Amino acid sequence: MNIVVLVLGATAFYTIVGQLVPQKEVPAPEVIEISKDVTTEEMVEIGKGIAQGKGTCLTCHTIGQSGSLRFPDLDGIGTRAATRIPGMSAVDYLAQSLYEPNAYVVEGFNPGMPVINKPPIQLTDDEILAVIAFLQSLGGTPSVTMETKLSINGGAGGDSTATATAALVQEAASLDGKALFERYGCARCHATTLPGKRLDRAEVLASILSPDSITTLAGAEQAKKRQAMEQSGVYDKATLQEIDRIVDYLMEQKAKE
Amino acid sequence: MKNAAWKWIVLVAPFVMLLPEPAAAAELELGTDAQQKAGKVVYERYCSQCHGTEGDGKGYAASHLRPRPRDFTSGKFKIRTTPSGALPTDDDLRRVIRDGMPYTTMIGWPNLSDQDVTNVIYYIKTFTKDFKNRDYYAQPIAIPEPPPHDADSAKKGREVYLQMECHRCHGDQGRADGASAPSLVNDAGEPILPADLTKRWTFRGGPARRDIYRTFSTGLNGTPMPSYADSLTDTQRWQLVDYVYSLGAADTPNYAERVVSRSIADDLDMTKGEALFDGAEGAFLPLFGQIVEPGRAFHPNATGIEVKAVHNREHIAFLLRWNDMRADRTGENSPALEAPETTETVEEAASQASSTEESDPFADAVEPEVAGDATDDFFSDDGSAETASGGEAGFSDAVAVQFPAALPDGIRLPYFIFGDPDNPVDIWFADLAKPAPQRFVGRGSRSVAPGNPDGLEMTASYDAGVWSVIFKRKRRQEDAMAIEGGQWYPVAFSVWDGLSGDRGNKRALTRWYYIYVEPAETVGPLRPMAKAAVATFGIEIVLIALIRRKHKNGVSIPPTNP
Amino acid sequence: MNLLVVLPILVALGALRLLKAGLLAWMIALWMAIYLTLRYGFAVPIPASVITLYMGITTMALATYVLSSRERFASCSRPLIALVVERRLRTLLIVVVLGLPLLVAARIYTNMSQPLQPPSFARTVHPAPPSEPITVRGQTFDLNAVENPFRNLEKSDPSQFRVHVENGRRVYYQNCVYCHGDNVQGDGLFAHGVNPIPTNFRDSGTIAMLQEGFLFWRIAKGGPGMPGEGGPWESAMPAWENFLTVDEMWDVILFLYDHTGQRPREVEEHAK
Amino acid sequence: MSKSRILVIGVGAFIGLIVFAFVARQTLVVFDHAYRTPVEADHPDRTPAMQGEADSRAAQAEKQRKQPLAEHGVPLKDVEYRAFPGVGSRVAIWSVAQLHLLFAAFVLAVPIFALIIELIGYFTGDKRYDRLAHEFTKLLSVSFSLTATLGAGLTFMLIILYPRFTQYLMHVFSPTFLPYVLLFFLESGFLYAYYYGWGKFPPVAHLTLGIALNVVGTGIMVIANSWLTFMMSPSGVSESGALISTWQAVDNYTWMPINVHRFIANVAFGGSIAAAYAAFKFLHATSDEERAHYDWMGYIGNFVAIIAFLPLPFAGYWLAKEIYAYSQTMGLTMMGGAFSWLFIIQAVLIGCLFIGANLYLWLGMGRIEGAQRYKGYIKYLLFVIAVCFAVWATPRSPITTPVEVREMGGSFHPVLGKLGVMSAKNTAVNLLILTTYLSFLIYRRSGITPTVSWARRGKALQLLTFIASAGVVISLGVLGYFVPTTVRIGLSVPQVISVLAALVVVTAIDILMFRGAETVGETRWGQMPAISQYILIFIAVTFTWLMGLMGYVRSGLRQHWHVYGVIRDTSPDAFTPTLGFATKVVSVNVLLFFILIALVFWLSGLSSKKDWRARGTDAS
């Protein structure tokens, strides 16, 4: 009888100890679908989720800690990445450290990071792009998109990089100012003939890049217009060259007058 | 100046004649040269940045301070124990230096040594010739022990209050909303605010009944607040004190740390007004000027906002109350409006810095405005007369409740000033010139965009100096963070005062607070208490029974040696 | 360690020693002494969960000691059995039997009626600055190596140094005074409205412990520039790069050290 | 006034004052606080467990919907999982596997154990040992069949519940099954021959039989270990899981450490169960002679358990090191991720084991005359053990309320935070081992006095060794706070070496020193307080529980993988459950094991009972 009580008591005691510690279930990682048309900002968000969860990056890496760390801190990696290996771009460096983690080990640390696109972590190439976007956002500005082709990705698709880039350039080059004007939705608000009448080329360019700089409006109206410009997304999508071409097109309209 | 001095002589003369010469005053305690010199060192180190090296109240900080730093050359001191118009005693000065004045940048200097304070007082006295003139001295007024405070006395005080026309400045309910309040100026022509009598803790002279009595008996020199030593009897003054005292709830603001939304079963009927919130715990939260982002407000009029919240299964409602000098129901307001840049904009600072390198940095880089300048205005920093008067061309009063757009999954909240690009905030906005509420999505103070106001309801009323705004929303709504019972949610508030030209970033605001939404059903303590007690009792009884059975025949001690 | 708590406990234990107290008394006294030390004896309170753990271990260790020989067990159990069995101790027994459940119930009551506490999160007081260079108004600064460009004037050109300090004073009283206060003690006009509270520069645990580069970083980037680990991020510290020039920020740093009479921490030499 | 009066008054006043303060405070608090509603969420978060349940319900519904199609039977290869009714597949497999492993451990341990004792008996000529070894072997036959039954159950359940995974494992390990079965066959042959041949063979032949039995048993364990270590750290297969080399699959990263770890742990486990058996018998013994025998048996069992237990942490280090070497991810999941709190529970268990083992030794001193002179040391030993225990169990970032966080100014306590790190914990564990060994030394010499001329110097040397070892451990522990991580991790090795060296040196000196020692006090076997026997049972329960828990860690580390990185767990149970849930399952398994082991004890006890007919004649 006493023995039964003792056995029950001891097991109960250990069970209670087990209930006193923090209780956390760890879900199995879900498959994350990333469509090709997400923006870089959305990629940062997705990448952040992956880094915290499925990618298990933050089990080892810290963000913004110092002291005696076991793994390099990720804060500021967005800018630091470009300086690690001379001649290697930030994106390529980050890709290398995910696909071939032991190729370059930061001084003072031990190698030991798993290859991220292999099991058990096994992120897909798309997920890794998102993680790179997130890493770039730590202290820098993300530049990758879902279309970015990595020069290092575990051997896959190495050859297609050059051709794909060329195709992109070609496509952008093929659009003239008018097409771009429409593509970025300028025509939704602006009449094509208006700005060229009053402003010179530099002023037109300035008023696109910095809507507040040249305006007759003030107060709330000015703010509304500026926000409309900001929310049109043109700053996110268009390159400077493209904006230049739009201005060219607008100046042509003036010349036609 | 001459004129004013003459006035004082007339005012002070009776006292000087009536009262015996105080020994201290007779000595003209101006200190030795060495003491004044030592005082000068302390003064220039700790005081001159606001009060100016010349003691003229035009130090570095002066331009954005309301009230302005004291101009020692004028010889007028507000907080004194001496009769109206007279100079303060050394102790009066010492008290202000030591304790400071609440709700001004004069915080108080408890760390200075007694010697330093004395020296500084001697040095301050050199700024005006008045201290050398025995005629301006007067015996301090004796402040008696306060008589017992009672409701009847306060009631009589109310009559005195109306009779003396205090309400013309301080408002009917003491909320500083009197008809002439916005146009008050001090002797130097600078605008000045009447005290909000419901907030005793902001009284510059202190919140105690003796402090209030002192103000009535001495007046505040240089301000429109007169002395009532002649016009009211001692009893009447105490009655007035009691009335003023009854207007405020406490000597301290008792700022809350959190808001608790009360769970009720009934419908949230907005027509019930404030009665809807009976029984809900009021949280009084401090407001401070938005001085973080460009378009800064250095001296917002509202210093606190009272928040109450209730909810039922479907809806949640907030009651927001704050004191406002004047209801501005015309014009417009919006968190997206551009607020005027203050002088320390990047551009100006840059030009200042470049001038620093070339020339003398001591050169007055501050705005060259002069105190007493006609364009100076309490309510605005941009100096435009148009905004100060409010009205058609100006801005209306407004209030906003701010939530995160989505419940943060980590511990990082959106930036407290209208969110940040990664973590937007949901802003419920009431432009009090408009009948309907608005919603905005904030992604940073310069990136506030209109949102969908569907589902948000609002009523507002202004009564005797206080705005009451009620917001109501569904607890679960597709495009907003769901508000569930038993949870904490971050919340923040903003108040725009149209009279001060507040708009956009220029406003008073709170940091993030947390609101707790009470669950519909709660567990009482009795059942678990009873359970535990009974269980303990049971175990005891079993143990006792076991031990007794084993030791039936008295204490049979286990053998010490086997 | 809180000596006000620890010393009386030691004194009481010493008294027990002098009185040659019985084993049971010793065990109870030790248990309580350890509990009181853990609960109140530390300047920074120990979390309740850890106290529970330690008290569990203490209980186990004391029980082990009592059980470790027959004599010890007997000397502990004798008074307890006497309490239960002996007639003359009946009143005491009733008091204990009724008192214990009441105490337990009261404990539950207090546990359940803790006032509502809003969630709060740990604050890193001096978060580590970013290790890569920061960009302020178009200039790049490596925070590990940056030095105040005007600091050397202190020796080389004292009068020019005073000029910079004075300019820093102007900057401080035009910008910082609202929160950090006229006495640079973090008690400015708006301080009561913000959380975390503004830094008290007179506290020797603040600027005296930091390099000027750290101050520059905090001033230039403010609350929004707080790194991931540097929470809470509600800090109302503005990013002063929006308002001040680089030189003004360095000047105000000079002023802060000058005004409080403290010296900045030197930049450590990097071992190569 | 008498002295006792003063004492009562003094102590009473002190305790009374404290009690009064406590009651007063509690009363004040009760009357001060208006009751406020406790903070309770009225809607729980959607946890993975709920998600899993919802998923399996959805799967059921889906199955129902598709029922008409499935009527003709689903081909085996299309089925990935089948559900176990009630508790679910995972818990069912978990319980059966754990019971199987516990019995297997017992079955493997007892022969090792019996062989050692038999050898001692053979060399010393002490008949008691022979009797003891025989009695242990009695427990074997029933346990053996139970182990086999559970093993068969486990296999069937794996095939039924996890067909795809089982198929894969069988594919990879197909060449190992035949040797396994053959070894099993040999095992049963040797085992029954060893048991039934007791006293029938010449001693050397019987001993050889015992050695063969152990070799075969260990072989079985080693083969089975390869399967489960492959699941954890697969090798010898391609990324997609195709088999490259069966031998590499067997010889994976964690195979050898697990073999060693399990071998040692089995000895310790067997010892503790044998001790528990002896304790059970002791408590039910009727004669002094019986009591003396079972007291001695319990002592030997416990002695073997503790001696085997001391090097176990080092084997554990090795295993953990190999896990890190195989996959950093897995290593960090273990020590820093989802399982980090489990090691706090482990610390509690091992702390209890150490305290229990020491307490048993101290109580044992009660039955030795002349042990009185060492009693005073107990409190110091206990103090060191308690402090080390507390340090070891200190969490790095404790559970805190928001108020406490604000008071601490961060999630680490400024003082306790320093105790939560590896440097402190390694130091604590090593000191625990040293102290326990010291306890044992004291016990050992309590009844004897050395006669050799250099006894004083020998004792001084032993003490010096202890102090030196403790000094090395502590100073390296302190050093750990000041060196970079890469160096710090390496520091545990010299710590361990210094402790092991100290144990060896001290033991060597002790053996030499007490050769021909003079006996000052007789050990009176059977004169043990009953409480000591309960402690033996407590140790056995703790040990079993610890094995269950560590088995869960080893298995749970794979998280959502059947074979780590190769075959994903896509069942609704793919999530890692909470530690609270795991401890509940472990507790149930431990209770089941003890019910079954009680059955084993009862069955093996039957043979020694009097014949039914004989009893019948007695009665008449």
Side-chain angles (χ1 to χ4, degrees), chain D residues 138-139 142 277 281 598-610:
Chain D
K138 237 197 290 187
L139 300 172
V142 186
Y277 172 73
K281 287 287 196 182
L599 184 76
V600 171
F601 288 175
W602 178 70
L603 286 173
S604 57
L606 283 182
S607 65
S608 63
K609 280 235 167 83
K610 273 189 186 160

Side-chain angles (χ1 to χ4, degrees), chain A residues 2-3 6 8 10-11 14-15 18-26 28-29 60 69-71 110 112 114 118-120 122, chain D residues 47-49 239 328-329 332 338 341 349 352 399 485-486 489 534 538 542 560-561 564-565 568 575-576 578 580 583 587:
Chain A
N2 284 352
I3 297 173
L6 177 71
L8 282 176
T11 11
Y14 295 130
T15 316
Q19 310 308 312
L20 289 180
V21 303
Q23 304 294 317
K24 188 177 168 238
E25 279 180 352
V26 184
C60 304
L69 299 169
R70 286 188 88 151
F71 301 93
N110 292 332
K118 298 274 166 61
Q122 208 174 17
Chain D
T47 60
E239 270 171 35
Q328 193 93 347
T329 319
L332 278 147
W341 272 94
L349 282 155
C352 288
I399 313 166
T485 324
T486 40
I489 295 167
Y534 292 117
F538 174 76
T542 307
H560 55 279
W561 297 93
Y564 196 68
R568 245 183 108 98
F575 67 94
T576 311
T578 61
T583 51
S587 283

Side-chain angles (χ1 to χ4, degrees), chain A residues 241-255:
Chain A
Q241 285 78 9
E242 286 173 328
I243 290 179
D244 224 44
R245 238 175 288 144
I246 293 174
V247 177
D248 283 340
Y249 163 67
L250 294 175
M251 296 318 286
E252 278 166 34
Q253 299 306 305
K254 181 186 180 186

Side-chain angles (χ1 to χ4, degrees), chain B residues 417-430:
Chain B
I417 301 180
F418 290 159
D420 52 75
D422 292 340
N423 305 291
V425 293
D426 182 5
I427 301 165
W428 306 356
F429 180 78

Side-chain angles (χ1 to χ4, degrees), chain B residues 84 98 114 138 142 175 238 286 291 298 301 341 344 379 388 397 419 457 478 485 518 534 552:
Chain B
S84 183
R98 281 283 187 221
D114 285 347
R175 296 192 183 107
W238 279 113
I291 52 168
F298 290 96
N301 277 352
E341 296 275 344
E344 285 85 7
F379 304 107
D397 289 340
E457 293 170 60
E478 217 167 74
E518 281 185 354
V534 168
K552 253 179 211 156

Side-chain angles (χ1 to χ4, degrees), chain D residues 285-347:
Chain D
T286 44
S287 70
D288 278 350
E289 191 198 335
E290 236 181 306
R291 250 194 294 276
H293 172 68
Y294 286 117
D295 183 10
W296 180 72
M297 178 175 176
Y299 166 72
I300 296 290
N302 191 50
F303 174 74
V304 171
I306 297 304
I307 291 298
F309 181 65
L310 289 185
L312 211 49
F314 307 136
Y317 274 134
W318 184 26
L319 177 56
K321 194 171 153 275
E322 289 294 310
I323 290 177
Y324 265 99
Y326 173 71
S327 162
Q328 193 93 347
T329 319
M330 198 187 238
L332 278 147
T333 307
M334 176 170 74
M335 299 311 295
F339 292 90
S340 54
W341 272 94
L342 190 140
F343 287 88
I344 298 293
I345 306 180
Q346 189 211 21

Side-chain angles (χ1 to χ4, degrees), chain C residues 210-228:
Chain C
L210 298 165
Q211 294 168 3
E212 292 184 289
F214 186 95
L215 269 74
F216 180 76
W217 168 57
R218 293 309 318 130
I219 292 171
K221 298 296 178 186
M226 207 68 112

Side-chain angles (χ1 to χ4, degrees), chain B residues 175-387:
Chain B
R175 296 192 183 107
D177 59 322
S180 52
S183 55
L184 292 178
V185 289
N186 65 8
D187 286 5
E190 297 159 354
I192 187 170
L193 289 178
D196 183 339
L197 303 182
T198 61
K199 296 176 178 166
R200 271 208 297 283
W201 55 86
T202 64
F203 292 177
R204 316 290 189 230
R209 286 170 75 213
R210 288 173 67 112
D211 295 327
I212 304 170
Y213 176 87
R214 185 191 60 230
T215 304
F216 289 153
S217 307
T218 66
L220 300 177
N221 280 2
T223 78
M225 178 71 192
S227 158
Y228 292 92
D230 302 335
S231 44
L232 293 177
T233 65
D234 199 43
T235 324
Q236 281 176 312
R237 265 180 276 157
W238 279 113
Q239 284 165 349
L240 195 55
V241 166
D242 286 345
Y243 175 64
V244 168
Y245 205 75
S246 71
L247 288 173
D251 285 359
T252 52
N254 296 321
Y255 291 126
E257 276 292 315
R258 82 258 193 277
V259 185
V260 176
S261 176
R262 187 163 175 262
S263 174
I264 55 175
D266 308 341
D267 278 352
L268 299 187
D269 182 4
M270 305 257 289
T271 57
K272 273 161 83 178
E274 290 178 26
L276 179 61
F277 295 87
D278 286 347
E281 182 184 311
F284 187 62
L285 307 174
L287 289 163
F288 62 97
Q290 195 291 106
I291 52 168
V292 176
E293 300 275 294
R296 302 191 282 173
F298 290 96
H299 36 78
N301 277 352
T303 56
I305 183 168
E306 194 196 359
V307 181
K308 285 184 178 182
V310 293
H311 62 274
N312 61 12
R313 286 200 172 282
E314 290 294 305
H315 294 92
I316 185 162
F318 285 83
L319 169 67
L320 312 171
R321 285 164 54 92
W322 73 100
N323 293 0
D324 194 342
M325 187 178 287
R326 189 179 75 191
D328 298 289
R329 291 197 180 88
T330 52
E332 64 155 349
N333 217 324
S334 153
L337 289 179
E338 194 78 3
E341 296 275 344
T342 40
T343 44
E344 285 85 7
T345 56
V346 172
E347 288 74 21
E348 285 218 29
S351 72
Q352 257 175 28
S354 57
S355 72
T356 306
E357 279 148 26
E358 296 154 11
S359 63
D360 179 13
F362 292 107
D364 195 3
V366 199
E367 340 164 46
E369 65 177 322
V370 188
D373 192 330
T375 60
D376 183 44
D377 188 327
F378 191 95
F379 304 107
S380 71
D381 277 309
D382 50 2
S384 64
E386 167 253 329
T387 50

